[in-house]
């Protein structure tokens, strides 16, 4: 069986086993004494045959070629074949055949004893296992291979970017004996182990760079050395942009080197959206890291070349610069010999980019400086070759076109290969006589003043004018400018069909106008394929302003842009083009990522997609103004939201911010006030709602519009677009507040924020151990800098903006390259967490402050430790350099600020006055002042020369963690634990503004270099950007003045009670949302509110250690239940309303008489905090769960402890009693829920399955189920009788409270109501329940997302009643939302 494939091997073994089975049948008939052994052996052989037949079927599948070639499977089959061959030999009658012929089958003798049969069966069993195992391994490898291919398929590639793509299949390659020396030099560079990493071939337009690139790529592909290729082409969609550059390269590299796939797959798994991240992240994760990690694989001899053509045709100069910054890092890859071949025009951004590359990383060659004799030789060969083909194809004389004409063409062409190529295409056109066409070209040799491009293109265009009179020429020129002019300036190519639709010209007319231009345009026969310029030099020729008034073919670029802008707007304004829910999406929460891109293309044809993306680009390039009631104004008034929806569907929502900003820039505000207001409001609208518009297109009409301020131009204009199924809208602010954007992405609190010196970036450092860089204009996250092993407390930009320093609890400072995200230095030396790191004004030093009580200086370029400043008696929380670099200020937990001499390290002054630790220090721009922020709730100003305290800024209600000066030094910003940012006047000490919106303490504030923006970082995991210029402040809606942490519906759903940290309870009318009563008497924050069963009373529990009872009708306080010695976290009424139960951190539960307020019982016994209390339905039994790891059962009438249930190994966070009172359930931080018998205290079940702490438990109304909610973000359902787990619900959040609806069909949580499909109603219940769930940023109904909640409207607590949801907010606001039942359409 050597050399035989797996499929053939299987057939051979199946045939052999069939013969053995037949022999066994013969023996079974002939031999009496061994029938059992024979049948056992025959059965085992049958088993082998069955297995092999299944393998044979598997191998016959068309997708299992990899299994067919498997060595493991073939080896296993070969072993089985040998075993069976030996068995057949022993069973074969052989010599007994003669006896059989004489005496019949009875002459057969069984050759084995029972022990022999046992061994044979054992060996055959082993064969089966070996085959099965080989098959499993092979299939696993195949699955892994398929998975890797699937993962690579997830990476978006630029269609047609590879050198051998179908789109460029017929593009030219260098002919033999041309470019000989150049190609030899490139081959030598690639083969030189000591050579430069990058080869830059640059040359002016038309010198043949792309032809050389294709030839180079083909040559290396033939040698097996081509790693990847990317041919940029401006206006060709993804080929004209850098967004898909590194992903395209990565896919090709992984195909060439399969060992890269696991690393690329790991990057995709870690961040599914990584292909949309910044270029430096893509380069690092897809190229640099995978190649670097191949160092353990035996690839020393592997040589790879990446070919990048026409880098100058990448549309964004910033992207070109980034690519040129990143590519040199490839020199550090040691696992492969990597070379990068780059071609481009010598454009300024590229010359500057290469100029910044240091360390001898590249060599270059200037194509148009190659000696003319060599260029002429190569062009001559090319012309000879092409004209020979024309001569043969058209049966022309052997001496045509003649050496003299060839040499004339060579002189005309040199040094532009594009001339030669264009002439050949022109002459070869089968519809014309090539001799006449050549003669037409040669006429232009006499035009001595003509430019090279004129000589290239005028002969082609002049043919259009043959036999035309003057009027016809003018008409032709107008049509030419309309069609070809549009093609020349389009941002991305369009097909004949799309071009006709956009321009409003009949399709046949467009095709006719292009019919004679195949020499300069790529015009596919398929009218649905894009029409392309064959070379950008044709565009240069058409738009050359020197040809104005001289050429009928001159294209007025500005007018053409203006005309296309108008056509785009006109197209988008048609009724069938842009409209609400253009793709007929089923749900308002449908995510853009879930929609099939091909379906989007059907709904938004190519010309509409183009118009949506580029209408403002053409408007800007036209340099024409826009005005009130003009085309732009009318379009925005009618279709702004439709356009935003379309851009979201196309995945380009973030571009809308840039587009609207451009509109602002071309508008004269004083002449177009209405349009100015609309565009200004549109920008605020898009900035505030970018995140949700990007995620879910239809939320543009739901969330984005509904939470927009009531007096907003956009809200007023499009109010009727809010879906009718939102029947109660929340009260929103009247006007935009100072918050421009909320940047979400960190998974932990944000400790520090900083602006780059040019104001274009914001850096943030977080408890999630990362530093992130954000684009201030769009809010897009550009980079995530990972490396710290603990929380990041501080970030700072270097003066050049090229570096970011970060200080962390891991006791290090790290320096990062802002353009690439690479970690450059790790500064180690501190012996405790680093709270602060900053650069000196010249960028040469880094100063750091640590909990080790020291300030340290470091060399920013080398990372060397230079000096340690000692003097503080406690941790140093903040350090700052003076703008002149002469001083350093440090703020410490020792309550002082100290000033140090930078050059000597000498301590100059100690500024004393704060009564608590100092968290932050900052210098004024003129170096004369130092500001400090302290835990004592104040910020202070000090004179640096005298140390005198000049101002105390008093207004925060909690510690001040950050201070920062404005660039002009006239104001100071402060961020506080009270969740606000405040701005102060430095000269007067007055408070100028309060910026409210964060839902967690504010750790850091900073001002932009122009002073127009404030950035703040908060424990709520967000960075906020605020507009300081408007003076706008958050308008506090009617309601609480501090966070709301408890809301509850009355039993009839007509009232809502809210309890707040502002010490009040408020009652609200659910039908109108109006506030009815403010219940005041508590002297501290309120944790819990509850209605009595009849709805006539409200109980509130407070941090002031009291419970108070209120009359819901009058708001009158009826009782004060005083007795607890610590704050009260929970209050509840007994089922009959006669008792109130209160739980307190004083480790007791108290029972009170609601009518008299009398204290009835104190349930004491727990030795630690009580976390949960449950009453039995008859009110006779109370269960409590405590941090002392016990559950206790109490008699409510006597207060006696009935049982103490022990078994949990950690804190108990929740208890519940079954409806019949016979069982108690408990949930614990030991990750289990348990069931106990209330009468005996016996533990009945341990419910194991959660992977994190259990926070909540609840019984179903019939007592047959228990639900448990855990920190693992699941709710699990268990059978109470068996303890079996029945269902796991993935919530994405922790359910801290749980209860069942009375019908048993729904689960109620602290975040709303869940519909559980497996739960069937078993009782008629009057309770009105709708499954509305608010886990975090979405309102979800029956598992479908229906409404996104902006950060300002996220809930601290939630209550449901039928279709109504009430949200309490950290701002103190209470929001009412009500939704109609049924289908949610937009």
């Amino acid at each position: 069986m050597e050399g035989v494939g797996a499929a053939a091997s299987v057939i051979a073994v199946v045939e052999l086993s069939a013969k053995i089975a037949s022999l066994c049948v013969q023996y079974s008939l002939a031999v009496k004494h061994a029938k059992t052994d024979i049948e056992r052996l025959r059965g085992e052989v049958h088993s082998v045959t069955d297995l092999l037949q299944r393998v044979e079927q598997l191998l016959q599948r068309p997708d299992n070629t990899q299994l067919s070639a498997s060595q493991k499977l073939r080896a296993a089959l070969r072993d089985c074949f040998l075993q069976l061959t030996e068995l057949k030999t022993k069973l074969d009658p052989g010599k007994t055949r003669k006896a059989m012929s004489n005496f019949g089958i009875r002459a057969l003798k069984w050759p084995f004893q029972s022990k022999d049969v046992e061994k044979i069966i054992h060996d055959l069993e082993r064969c089966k296992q070996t085959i099965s195992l080989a098959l499993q391994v092979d299939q696993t490898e195949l699955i892994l291979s398929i998975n890797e291919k699937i993962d690579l398929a997830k990476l978006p590639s630029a269609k047609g970017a590879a050198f051998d793509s179908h789109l460029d299949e017929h593009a030219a390659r260098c002919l033999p004996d041309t470019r000989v020396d150049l190609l030899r030099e490139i081959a030598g560079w690639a083969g030189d182990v000591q050579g430069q990493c990058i080869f830059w071939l640059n040359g002016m337009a038309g010198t043949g760079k792309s032809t050389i690139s294709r030839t180079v790529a083909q040559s290396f592909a033939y040698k097996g050395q081509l790693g990847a290729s990317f041919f940029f082409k401006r206006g060709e969609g993804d080929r004209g942009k850098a967004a898909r550059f590194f992903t395209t390269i990565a896919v090709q590299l992984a195909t060439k080197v399969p060992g890269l796939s696991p690393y690329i797959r790991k990057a995709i798994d870690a961040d599914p959206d990584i292909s949309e991240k910044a270029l430096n992240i893509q380069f690092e994760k897809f190229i640099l890291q995978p190649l670097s990690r191949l160092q353990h694989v035996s690839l020393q001899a592997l040589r790879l070349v990446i070919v990048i053509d026409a880098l100058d045709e990448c549309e964004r100069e910033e992207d070109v610069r980034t690519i040129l910054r990143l590519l040199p890092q490839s020199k550090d890859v040691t696992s492969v010999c990597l070379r990068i071949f780059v071609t481009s025009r010598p454009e300024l951004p590229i010359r500057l980019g290469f100029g910044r590359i240091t360390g001898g990383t590249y060599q270059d060659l200037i194509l148009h400086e190659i000696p003319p004799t060599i260029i002429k030789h190569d062009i001559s060969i090319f012309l000879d070759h092409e004209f020979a083909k024309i001569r043969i194809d058209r049966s022309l004389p052997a001496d045509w076109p003649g050496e003299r004409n060839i040499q004339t063409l060579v002189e005309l062409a040199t040094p532009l290969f594009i001339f030669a190529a264009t002439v050949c295409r022109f002459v070869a056109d089968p519809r014309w006589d090539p001799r006449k066409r050549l003669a037409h070209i040669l006429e232009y040799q006499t035009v001595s003043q003509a430019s090279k491009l004129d000589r290239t293109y005028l002969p082609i265009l002049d043919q259009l004018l043959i036999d035309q009179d003057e009027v016809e020429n003018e008409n032709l020129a107008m049509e030419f400018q309309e069609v070809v002019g549009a093609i020349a300036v389009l941002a991305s190519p369009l097909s004949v069909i799309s071009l006709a639709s956009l321009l409003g010209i009949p399709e046949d007319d467009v095709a006719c106008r292009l019919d004679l231009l195949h020499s300069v345009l790529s015009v596919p026969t398929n009218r649905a394929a894009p029409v392309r310029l064959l070379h950008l030099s044709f565009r240069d020729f058409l738009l050359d302003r020197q040809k104005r008034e001289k050429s009928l073919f001159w294209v007025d670029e500005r007018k053409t842009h203006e005309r296309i802008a108008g056509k785009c707007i006109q197209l988008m304004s048609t009724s069938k083009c842009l409209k609400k829910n253009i793709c007929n999406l089923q749900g308002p929460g449908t995510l853009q990522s879930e929609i099939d891109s091909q379906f989007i293309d059907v709904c938004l044809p190519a010309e509409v997609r183009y118009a949506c993306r580029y209408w403002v680009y053409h408007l800007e390039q036209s340099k024409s103004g826009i005005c009130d009631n003009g085309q732009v104004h009318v379009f925005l008034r009618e279709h702004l939201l439709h356009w935003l929806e379309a851009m979201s569907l196309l995945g380009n929502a973030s571009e809308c911010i840039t587009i609207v900003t451009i509109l602002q820039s071309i508008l004269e505000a004083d002449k177009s006030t209405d349009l100015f207001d609309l565009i200004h409001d549109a920008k605020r609208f898009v900035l505030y709602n970018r995140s949700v518009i990007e995620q879910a297109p239809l939320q543009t009409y739901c969330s984005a519009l509904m939470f927009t301020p009531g007096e907003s131009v956009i809200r007023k204009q499009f109010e009727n677009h809010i879906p009718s199924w939102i029947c109660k809208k929340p009260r929103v602010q009247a006007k935009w507040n100072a918050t421009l954007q909320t940047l979400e992405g960190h998974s932990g609190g944000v400790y520090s924020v900083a602006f780059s010196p040019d104001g274009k970036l914001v850096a943030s450092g977080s408890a999630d151990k990362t530093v992130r860089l954000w684009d201030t204009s769009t809010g897009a996250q550009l980079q995530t800098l990972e490396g710290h092993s603990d929380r990041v407390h501080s970030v700072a930009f270097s003066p050049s903006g090229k570096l970011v320093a970060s200080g962390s609890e891991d006791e290090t400072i790290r320096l990062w390259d802002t353009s690439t995200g690479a970690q450059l230095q790790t500064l180690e030396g501190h012996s405790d967490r680093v709270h602060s790191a900053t650069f000196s004004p010249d960028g040469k030093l880094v100063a750091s402050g640590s909990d080790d009580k020291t300030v340290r200086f470091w060399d920013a370029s080398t990372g060397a430790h230079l000096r340690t400043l000692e003097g503080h008696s406690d941790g140093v929380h903040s350090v700052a350099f003076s703008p002149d670099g002469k001083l350093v200020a440090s703020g410490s937990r020792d309550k002082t600020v100290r000033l140090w001499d930078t050059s000597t390290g000498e301590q100059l002054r100690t500024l004393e006055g704060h009564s608590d630790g100092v968290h932050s220090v900052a210098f004024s721009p003129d170096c004369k002042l130092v500001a400090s922020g302290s835990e004592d709730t104040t910020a202070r100003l000090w004179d640096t020369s005298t140390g005198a305290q000049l101002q105390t800024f008093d207004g925060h209600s909690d510690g001040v963690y950050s201070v920062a000066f404005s660039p002009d030094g006239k104001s100071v910003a402060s961020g506080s634990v009270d969740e606000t940012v405040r701005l102060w006047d430095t000269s007067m000490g007055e408070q100028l503004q309060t910026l409210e919106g964060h839902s967690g303490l504010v750790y850091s504030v900073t001002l932009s270099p122009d002073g127009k923006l404030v950035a703040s970082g908060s424990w709520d995991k967000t960075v906020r950007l605020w507009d300081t210029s408007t003076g706008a402040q958050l308008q506090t809606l009617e309601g609480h003045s501090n966070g709301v942490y408890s809301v509850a519906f009355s039993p009839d759903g007509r009232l809502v009670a809210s309890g707040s940290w502002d010490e009040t309870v408020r009652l609200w009318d659910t039908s109108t949302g109006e506030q009815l009563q403010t219940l005041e008497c508590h002297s501290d924050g309120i944790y819990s509110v509850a209605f009595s069963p009849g709805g006539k009373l409200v109980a509130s529990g407070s941090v002031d250690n009291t419970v108070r009872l209120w009359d819901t009708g009058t708001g009158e306080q009826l009782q004060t239940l005083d007795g607890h010695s610590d704050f009260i976290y929970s209050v509840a009424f007994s089922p009959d309303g006669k008792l109130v139960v209160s739980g307190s951190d004083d480790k007791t539960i108290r029972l009170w008489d609601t009518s008299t307020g009398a204290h009835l019982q104190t349930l004491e016994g727990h030795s630690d905090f009580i976390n949960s209390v449950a009453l039995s339905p008859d009110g006779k039994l109370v269960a409590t769960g405590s941090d002392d790891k016990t559950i206790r059962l109490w008699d409510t009438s006597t207060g006696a402890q009935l049982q103490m249930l022990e078994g949990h190994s950690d804190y108990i966070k929740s208890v519940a009693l079954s409806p019949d009172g016979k069982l108690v359930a408990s949930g614990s931080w030991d990750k289990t829920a348990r069931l106990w018998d209330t009468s005996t205290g016996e533990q009945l079940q341990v419910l194991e399955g959660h992977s994190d702490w259990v926070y909540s438990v609840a019984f179903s109304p019939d007592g047959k189920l228990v639900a448990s909610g855990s920190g693992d973000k699941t709710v699990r359902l268990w059978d109470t009788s068996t303890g079996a787990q029945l269902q796991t619900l993935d919530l994405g959040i922790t359910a801290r409270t749980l209860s069942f609806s009375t019908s048993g069909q729904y689960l109620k949580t602290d975040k709303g109501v869940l519909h559980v499909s497996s739960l069937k109603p078993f009782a008629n219940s009057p309770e009105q329940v709708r499954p509305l769930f608010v886990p975090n940023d979405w309102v979800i109904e029956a598992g479908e997302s229906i409404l996104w909640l902006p950060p300002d409207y996220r809930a601290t607590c939630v209550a449901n009643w039928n279709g109504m949801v009430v949200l309490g907010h950290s701002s103190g606001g209470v929001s009412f939302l009500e939704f109609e039942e049924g289908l949610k359409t937009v």
Side-chain angles (χ1 to χ4, degrees), residues 725 727 1306 1329-1331 1341 1362-1363 1379-1384:
W725 48 262
C727 46
Y1306 300 98
V1329 180
R1330 285 258 301 282
E1341 182 177 34
N1362 201 4
F1379 307 98
E1380 286 182 357
E1381 198 165 8
L1383 186 66
K1384 304 292 186 291

Side-chain angles (χ1 to χ4, degrees), residues 592-613:
Q592 190 273 343
S593 59
E594 298 171 346
I595 308 168
D596 187 333
S597 60
Q598 292 182 339
F599 178 63
I600 294 173
D601 290 348
V602 171
C603 299
L604 294 168
E607 63 273 16
V608 178
R609 299 196 297 273
Y610 183 92
C612 287
R613 291 195 65 186

Side-chain angles (χ1 to χ4, degrees), residues 621-638:
Q621 296 300 313
S622 73
K623 296 181 169 55
S624 56
I626 54 178
C627 61
D628 281 352
N629 301 313
Q631 189 184 30
V632 170
H633 194 183
V634 172
F635 170 73
L636 292 175
R637 277 199 312 242
E638 295 179 5

Side-chain angles (χ1 to χ4, degrees), residues 154-156 244 247 267-278 281-282 286 592-593 695 781:
K154 291 179 184 176
L155 284 182
R244 301 288 176 256
T247 55
I268 297 170
D269 289 344
D271 184 358
D273 296 323
I274 191 169
S275 61
E276 304 299 327
K277 295 295 172 62
I281 298 175
Q282 294 185 38
F286 291 147
Q592 190 273 343
S593 59
Q695 288 180 63
Q781 182 181 311

Side-chain angles (χ1 to χ4, degrees), residues 314-332:
C314 179
E315 291 174 4
R316 292 179 58 190
E317 289 183 5
E318 312 90 76
D319 289 342
V320 172
R321 288 196 292 268
T322 299
I323 289 170
L324 290 176
R325 280 197 299 266
L326 295 170
L327 291 180
Q329 296 181 42
S330 304
K331 72 180 187 301
D332 299 324

Side-chain angles (χ1 to χ4, degrees), residues 1022-1041:
T1022 69
V1023 175
R1024 291 198 179 218
L1025 301 182
W1026 314 78
D1027 184 347
T1028 61
S1029 60
T1030 63
Q1033 294 192 28
L1034 183 74
Q1035 305 99 41
T1036 302
L1037 303 175
E1038 180 186 8
H1040 294 284
S1041 59

Side-chain angles (χ1 to χ4, degrees), residues 8-62:
S9 301
V10 170
I11 294 169
V13 179
V14 168
E15 289 176 350
L16 183 57
S17 60
K19 290 176 183 177
I20 294 171
S22 177
L23 286 172
C24 286
V25 171
Q26 293 181 41
Y27 276 103
S28 180
L29 294 172
V31 179
K32 297 288 188 183
H33 69 277
K35 281 193 179 296
T36 302
D37 287 344
I38 295 169
E39 286 304 314
R40 287 181 64 210
L41 183 59
R42 188 162 73 93
E44 189 61 33
V45 171
H46 268 302
S47 177
V48 171
T49 306
D50 288 344
L51 172 64
L52 291 170
Q53 285 173 340
R54 289 199 300 273
V55 173
E56 185 179 13
Q57 290 172 357
L58 184 63
L59 290 172
Q60 287 171 351
R61 288 168 55 97

